[in-house]
Amino acid sequence: MPRNALIARLERYTDLTTGERAAILEAGDGHQRFATGDRLIDENAPNQYLYIVEDGWLHASRDLVSGARQILRLHYPGDLVGTSSIAWARASTTLTALSPVEVTPVPKVALGRLFKAQPRLAALLYAVAAAEDVAMSDRLTSLGRTNAVERLATLLLDMLARLRLSRDGAVDTIDLPLTQSEIGDALGLTSIHVNRTFRTMETRGMIVREGRRVRLPNEAALTAMVGFVDRYETVATDWLPAPEPIAA
């Protein structure tokens, strides 16, 4: 069976049946590749697709009345992107490639058929989406209640936690594809303030930088400082319905 990043991510939480894996593959509508900076979809544009991220980083953003931009989510391999727009026929955010990206488009109607045919899989996807919403709430809460160092630390810890899902846990360094301006748009800071915050964290020994590579030498201390909770490592599956029986 072909490898699929969403299947790999979900199987960190529970073993999928052959039918469930096949349903994910059948829902996909080919593959698409995008270059850094390409927009997959614009905010308020008609949209009938979700996307499985197979490779690369993306961000979802919204334009503000002031002309500024707020980056709401970062997306990594294994993400099913677009669930926040599924209630409407138009996209609620702009989706932009932060690096060369490969995605599998999933028509909304195909997802509907998957939900009908594979209720346990539908429930698992719902649980993962709920965990991602809580993780975003954690990060957005930090924007209004913490200083710049704590905001950036929370973002870096969230990146590490998420990357570990797609790389089998073997991650202690982040290769940042984001510019300082993009990081500022995610944290509500200017690029100058982001640069100053990186230097402050480096001086305090909180991070080690080599170009765009960032390492957290004392992750436990940073986690305790900001009260970071990894929302991705585990997802409760004991409540899921039983798998669909195999047809005779």
Side-chain angles (χ1 to χ4, degrees):
M1 182 172 290
R3 183 168 176 79
N4 175 284
L6 178 59
I7 292 174
R9 180 180 178 186
L10 295 179
E11 290 202 314
R12 292 183 63 88
Y13 305 127
T14 190
D15 292 330
L16 300 183
T17 67
T18 300
E20 289 168 340
R21 291 193 293 271
I24 292 174
L25 295 175
E26 290 168 6
D29 186 15
H31 292 273
Q32 294 181 359
R33 290 181 173 83
F34 296 89
T36 302
D38 284 353
R39 290 187 173 191
L40 283 68
I41 187 71
D42 287 311
E43 182 181 352
N44 294 322
N47 182 34
Q48 295 301 318
Y49 285 89
L50 294 88
Y51 300 92
I52 297 171
V53 184
E54 303 290 356
D55 190 42
W57 290 40
L58 306 100
H59 70 62
S61 66
R62 296 192 68 181
D63 293 328
L64 307 179
V65 175
S66 65
R69 176 182 64 175
Q70 179 68 52
I71 292 177
L72 299 173
R73 295 178 186 262
L74 298 175
H75 292 292
Y76 312 85
D79 282 358
L80 179 62
V81 181
T83 54
S84 61
S85 300
I86 203 165
W88 307 282
R90 294 180 178 272
S92 63
T93 59
T94 296
L95 188 62
T96 307
L98 282 166
S99 67
V101 166
E102 180 180 353
V103 299
T104 298
V106 177
K108 290 182 180 179
V109 293
L111 187 68
R113 290 194 295 267
L114 182 151
F115 275 36
K116 180 178 180 180
Q118 300 290 342
R120 189 181 82 116
L121 181 57
L124 180 58
L125 289 170
Y126 178 84
V128 169
E132 291 174 348
D133 283 344
V134 173
M136 186 176 77
S137 295
D138 289 346
R139 190 172 64 78
L140 294 181
T141 298
S142 78
L143 300 188
R145 298 292 182 178
T146 60
N147 61 39
V149 168
E150 292 167 333
R151 293 185 203 182
L152 183 53
T154 298
L155 179 64
L156 294 174
L157 289 166
D158 187 83
M159 287 178 180
L160 269 183
R162 186 58 189 85
L163 288 172
R164 284 171 178 152
L165 287 182
S166 60
R167 299 180 188 173
D168 297 325
V171 177
D172 60 7
T173 300
I174 305 167
D175 293 311
L176 275 176
L178 293 86
T179 65
Q180 291 188 353
S181 177
E182 288 166 334
I183 293 172
D185 287 344
L187 298 180
L189 303 171
T190 66
S191 57
I192 294 174
H193 202 168
V194 171
N195 183 275
R196 187 184 306 126
T197 304
F198 267 118
R199 292 202 307 269
T200 297
M201 293 182 71
E202 199 167 16
T203 300
R204 295 179 183 176
M206 296 175 172
I207 61 172
V208 176
R209 285 196 296 172
E210 295 180 7
R212 287 197 172 190
R213 302 190 71 188
V214 179
R215 182 171 60 86
L216 310 185
N218 193 340
E219 184 180 340
L222 212 57
T223 297
M225 183 186 81
V226 300
F228 178 75
V229 178
D230 185 349
R231 304 294 187 182
Y232 311 103
E233 184 179 10
T234 60
V235 170
T237 59
D238 56 326
W239 62 276
L240 298 180
E244 288 293 294
I246 299 174

